[in-house]
Amino acid sequence: MRKLSDVAKVYGTMTKEYEKYADYPHIGIDSIEKNTGILSGYRTVQEDNVISPKYYFGPQHILYSKIRPALNKVALPDFEGLCSADCYPLLVTGMCDRKFLAHVMRSDYFLDYVLSYSGRSQMPKVNRKQLEGFSFPCPPIELQEKFTLLIDQSDKSK
C-alpha cells in the first residue's frame, strides 16, 4: 500500500506569463471528459484571454479536477500547456506508472475516497492534503504496466 503522496506530487508552479504561453493549449475542467479523461474542446491561452494564474503542465503530468470530484475528471495530456487552477497537475515518481495511477484515480475506489471529503454544499472540492492522503495497492512497475495494458485493451474493445 502506498499513499498518493509517496508516488506523485502536486506540481504547484503557477504562472502569469500569458504572452510566453499564448499559443499553448489552455485546459479548463470543462475540457476533460468525465470518467474517460479525454481532452477536447480546448483553445489556446490567447484565445481564452487568460488573465488569472494557471498551472503549467507537460506530457509527464496527470491532470486532476479538484472541484466537483463526482465528475471523475482525470486526464493524461500528451502535450504542454496551462491548466485551470481548478486542476491539480500531478507529477508521478519512478515507483509508479503514470497511466496506472490515472486508472487508479478513475476507479470507484478512489472516487469513494474523494467523495467522502467533498461535502461542501455549493461547490464540492478536494484539497491537496486530502488527495495526497489517498492510499492504494501499488504493485511493482511491471505489474502496473500489465494492468494498464489490459485496461487499455478493454477500453478499446468498448
Side-chain angles (χ1 to χ4, degrees), residues 46-98:
Q46 184 175 14
E47 289 171 329
D48 279 349
N49 288 322
V50 170
I51 57 171
S52 61
K54 303 296 177 195
Y55 285 114
Y56 167 82
F57 68 87
Q60 69 277 20
H61 290 96
I62 295 172
L63 298 180
Y64 174 69
S65 173
K66 64 184 178 179
I67 64 168
R68 298 193 321 253
L71 294 178
N72 201 15
K73 294 187 173 201
V74 181
L76 291 169
D78 58 1
F79 51 85
E80 294 179 87
L82 297 184
C83 70
S84 163
D86 293 330
C87 284
Y88 287 131
L90 298 169
L91 192 58
V92 180
T93 66
M95 71 172 52
C96 192
D97 179 79
R98 174 178 166 257

Side-chain angles (χ1 to χ4, degrees), residues 2-19:
R2 297 276 183 198
K3 284 192 174 188
L4 192 132
S5 62
D6 295 335
V7 301
K9 302 291 179 212
V10 174
Y11 183 78
T13 303
M14 296 191 96
T15 185
K16 292 182 181 181
E17 298 180 57
Y18 311 120
E19 289 180 18

Side-chain angles (χ1 to χ4, degrees), residues 75-144:
L76 291 169
D78 58 1
F79 51 85
E80 294 179 87
L82 297 184
C83 70
S84 163
D86 293 330
C87 284
Y88 287 131
L90 298 169
L91 192 58
V92 180
T93 66
M95 71 172 52
C96 192
D97 179 79
R98 174 178 166 257
K99 288 182 179 180
F100 174 79
L101 184 56
H103 284 300
V104 169
M105 292 177 72
R106 285 189 201 117
S107 72
D108 288 342
Y109 181 64
F110 177 77
L111 195 54
D112 289 344
Y113 171 81
V114 294
L115 290 177
S116 73
Y117 286 106
S118 62
R120 297 164 102 194
S121 58
Q122 296 228 330
M123 182 60 70
K125 180 179 177 182
V126 176
N127 71 37
R128 187 180 296 212
K129 185 176 178 181
Q130 294 159 343
L131 180 67
E132 291 174 341
F134 172 69
S135 293
F136 65 100
C138 188
I141 291 282
E142 302 80 30
L143 291 177
Q144 293 177 37

Side-chain angles (χ1 to χ4, degrees), residues 4-43:
L4 192 132
S5 62
D6 295 335
V7 301
K9 302 291 179 212
V10 174
Y11 183 78
T13 303
M14 296 191 96
T15 185
K16 292 182 181 181
E17 298 180 57
Y18 311 120
E19 289 180 18
K20 177 180 176 181
Y21 297 104
D23 294 329
Y24 280 54
H26 174 238
I27 304 298
I29 59 169
D30 56 332
S31 303
I32 304 172
E33 185 176 279
K34 66 180 183 175
N35 299 319
T36 68
I38 293 171
L39 292 166
S40 65
Y42 53 85
R43 301 179 323 171

